[in-house]
Amino acid sequence: MTLQAAEAHGRELQEIPRLLQTALPEWQRQIDALTPQLASSRTLLYLGRGAHYAIAREGALKLKESAYLNAEGYPSGELKHGPNALVSKDSPLIMIATADSGDPDSLLRYSKVLQLMKDMRTQGAGIIALATEGDQEVPQYSDSCLFIPASNDLLSTILEVVPFQLLAYSLAISRGIDVDRPRNLVKAVIEE
């Protein structure tokens, strides 16, 4: 990475708190509306590609830890190799479909995720998507779409994880779970 690129990433990183603060109220409104719909789900499949796969796994992990719902994180490209059998309206897909318009690799990843969304929509899947602000295509193929502020591909992962944490928190509360005292979570410091 060149010094110029590193400096640009540093400037973008400094903008993340402002972007989060701006996006939080809308994410909370949308998640409040989604929570009753998702509370009876059997399984939620979180899908991400590339660096976004780690965020999909993190989203699934937070949902398991907080709301005690079965959730799995998969690479988007692997969905048709087994987990596809679980796809139904009762087992919605949470798909990360963000894109960095200045990054050809990100655009290629995005096009593959968009095609998967189209395929899953045809199959009858319920889809909740994370997309980049201004995206006109992803909302056409999802039941609900949360928009992430535009950022470079790697820094967008910081933005993506926050709505997943809000969703886990909201679903836990709706299920009557004390989020400050997670059951069987040994890594949490709850009381001495």
Side-chain angles (χ1 to χ4, degrees):
M1 182 181 298
T2 67
L3 178 58
Q4 184 180 20
E7 288 172 345
H9 286 312
R11 286 188 299 276
E12 290 178 16
L13 183 59
Q14 290 176 343
E15 285 295 308
I16 296 292
R18 183 188 61 76
L19 295 174
L20 285 171
Q21 192 170 32
T22 302
L24 275 171
E26 181 59 19
W27 289 341
Q28 190 63 62
R29 186 192 65 73
Q30 287 182 281
I31 288 167
D32 288 346
L34 278 172
T35 297
Q37 300 167 35
L38 296 177
S40 63
S41 298
R42 287 184 294 156
T43 297
L44 285 90
L45 299 175
Y46 286 70
L47 301 169
R49 194 174 188 95
H52 308 274
Y53 166 52
I55 303 308
R57 288 183 50 103
E58 177 65 15
L61 177 65
K62 286 297 169 233
L63 193 65
K64 284 186 241 187
E65 290 174 344
S66 302
Y68 312 148
L69 287 170
N70 188 38
E72 299 298 329
Y74 284 98
S76 297
E78 298 294 320
L79 179 66
K80 292 185 179 180
H81 300 289
N84 191 25
L86 300 174
V87 174
S88 72
K89 286 288 184 190
D90 295 330
S91 298
L93 301 176
I94 313 281
M95 300 183 74
I96 301 174
T98 55
D100 177 353
S101 61
D103 180 347
D105 290 335
S106 177
L107 293 174
L108 177 61
R109 176 187 53 78
Y110 170 81
S111 69
K112 290 180 179 185
V113 171
L114 189 60
Q115 184 56 55
L116 182 62
M117 287 180 80
K118 292 174 184 177
D119 294 346
M120 292 299 101
R121 191 64 162 186
T122 301
Q123 188 174 306
I127 299 173
I128 297 159
L130 293 185
T132 305
E133 281 180 349
D135 188 312
Q136 301 294 312
E137 291 192 77
V138 169
Q140 295 177 43
Y141 301 103
S142 59
D143 298 301
S144 184
C145 186
L146 287 84
F147 288 102
I148 305 300
S151 181
N152 78 51
D153 200 43
L154 291 177
L155 292 181
S156 68
T157 58
I158 298 169
L159 298 167
E160 293 163 358
V161 77
V162 175
F164 286 167
Q165 292 170 339
L166 289 171
L167 180 61
Y169 177 82
S170 182
L171 279 165
I173 297 296
S174 78
R175 294 166 54 85
I177 296 166
D178 182 353
V179 293
D180 293 321
R181 297 199 185 327
R183 122 181 125 199
N184 303 329
L185 193 57
V186 294
K187 72 178 183 180
V189 177
I190 28 184
E191 280 186 26
E192 294 279 337

